[in-house]
Amino acid sequence: MTDLRIAAVGDIHLGEDVRGRYRKHLEGIEDRADVLMLAGDLTRHGTLEEGRVVADEFRDLPVTVVAVLGNHDYHSDLQYEIAGELRDAGVTVLDDDGVVLQCGETKLGVVGGKGFGGGFAGKSASEFGEREIKNFVAHTRHIAEAWKVALKEVQADHRVVLSHYSPVKETLEGEPHEIYPFLGSYLLAEAVDTAGADLFLHGHAHKGTEKGMTPGGIRVRNVALPVLGRAYGVYCIDDCD
């Protein structure tokens, strides 16, 4: 079975002033990867105009494109409209669900969504106290449970989780510790470790670190554009990255 090559990037933050520029960096991607995954923050302020720029940059690529949205894409409360523009351009947009892709002879399951925050073991928020805090943590727990169910339901040879927020603090190293709770949550790692996956991709932490691992031993990669320093990274299921 040929090893899958997964191109991935997040936090590209496109706007009208850079229309067409990112597309140039995708030329020949079919020679380097079997699928392209976008880890959220595709826009700057979540406007529909920015969403249309993103859709045009990734329209009709020679590889399948799978995306999740990030917090910037939610900023103008037009996340559903932006997702619709991307889907019209042929991009698969995940929203706490999954999809199975046929890559040659291999079935690749991709599960995920935006994710959310809350912090990490020993230094995390809990569902206690004010209703606002309870709701904050409950939102992340609901997302994690949805991913766990989706991972168990996906019938594939390999499974990848695509998120905006991080499941571990290791890939946040370089960011101020004070904002870790707003960059990810251990609940995401717990869900993935319970259900199983081969690789976890996320963005969001611009000053973070590329490589990490969940407590259960699943590889985590921070694919935020400022971290990668290139148009996208390429990752293999069999740990060739």
Side-chain angles (χ1 to χ4, degrees):
M1 186 180 294
T2 302
D3 193 34
L4 289 172
R5 303 165 301 166
I6 299 168
V9 68
D11 303 85
I12 55 176
H13 295 292
L14 300 184
E16 186 64 46
D17 58 318
V18 294
R19 177 181 287 276
R21 294 184 189 176
Y22 198 85
R23 180 77 177 201
K24 296 177 182 178
H25 297 292
L26 300 176
E27 294 178 1
I29 191 172
E30 68 275 17
D31 298 324
R32 305 181 186 96
D34 302 294
V35 59
L36 172 61
M37 299 191 187
L38 306 177
D41 274 8
L42 311 178
T43 66
R44 296 171 184 169
H45 302 99
T47 67
L48 193 53
E49 292 75 17
E50 291 172 347
R52 287 170 178 156
V53 171
V54 176
D56 287 342
E57 295 295 287
F58 296 97
R59 188 184 307 275
D60 299 326
L61 283 181
V63 296
T64 300
V65 183
V66 182
V68 299
L69 301 185
N71 56 305
H72 278 247
D73 307 318
Y74 275 68
H75 179 67
S76 298
D77 296 323
L78 293 171
Q79 60 269 21
Y80 299 114
E81 290 82 354
I82 290 172
E85 291 289 335
L86 292 173
R87 291 185 176 114
D88 287 345
V91 176
T92 297
V93 182
L94 298 180
D95 187 10
D96 302 332
D97 54 2
V99 64
V100 176
L101 309 175
Q102 190 69 47
C103 300
E105 299 178 356
T106 304
K107 288 185 177 180
L108 174 64
V110 188
V111 167
K114 174 177 60 66
F116 204 53
F120 303 91
K123 297 180 180 180
S124 62
S126 63
E127 292 176 78
F128 181 86
E130 298 92 335
R131 174 51 54 189
E132 291 80 4
I133 292 294
K134 292 176 183 176
N135 290 344
F136 184 89
V137 179
H139 181 60
T140 307
R141 189 177 299 280
H142 172 79
I143 289 170
E145 287 300 317
W147 291 6
K148 185 161 61 175
V149 170
L151 280 166
K152 290 179 178 179
E153 290 179 345
V154 162
Q155 300 296 313
D157 300 307
H158 299 288
R159 294 180 294 180
V160 173
V161 179
L162 180 61
S163 172
H164 184 58
Y165 287 75
S166 175
V168 296
K169 61 184 180 182
E170 285 76 13
T171 51
L172 306 181
E173 292 180 5
E175 295 281 4
H177 287 185
E178 292 83 355
I179 67 172
Y180 275 24
F182 306 104
L183 298 177
S185 169
Y186 76 97
L187 294 173
L188 305 179
E190 277 192 352
V192 176
D193 281 340
T194 298
D198 297 283
L199 179 65
F200 192 116
L201 302 169
H202 76 87
H204 197 31
H206 291 198
K207 297 180 180 179
T209 301
E210 184 179 2
K211 297 183 179 183
M213 189 171 290
T214 69
I218 295 171
R219 287 177 296 138
V220 179
R221 298 294 181 261
N222 177 0
V223 299
L225 181 61
V227 171
L228 295 179
R230 55 193 187 276
Y232 53 84
V234 178
Y235 305 92
C236 301
I237 292 297
D238 290 339
D239 197 16
C240 65
D241 57 314

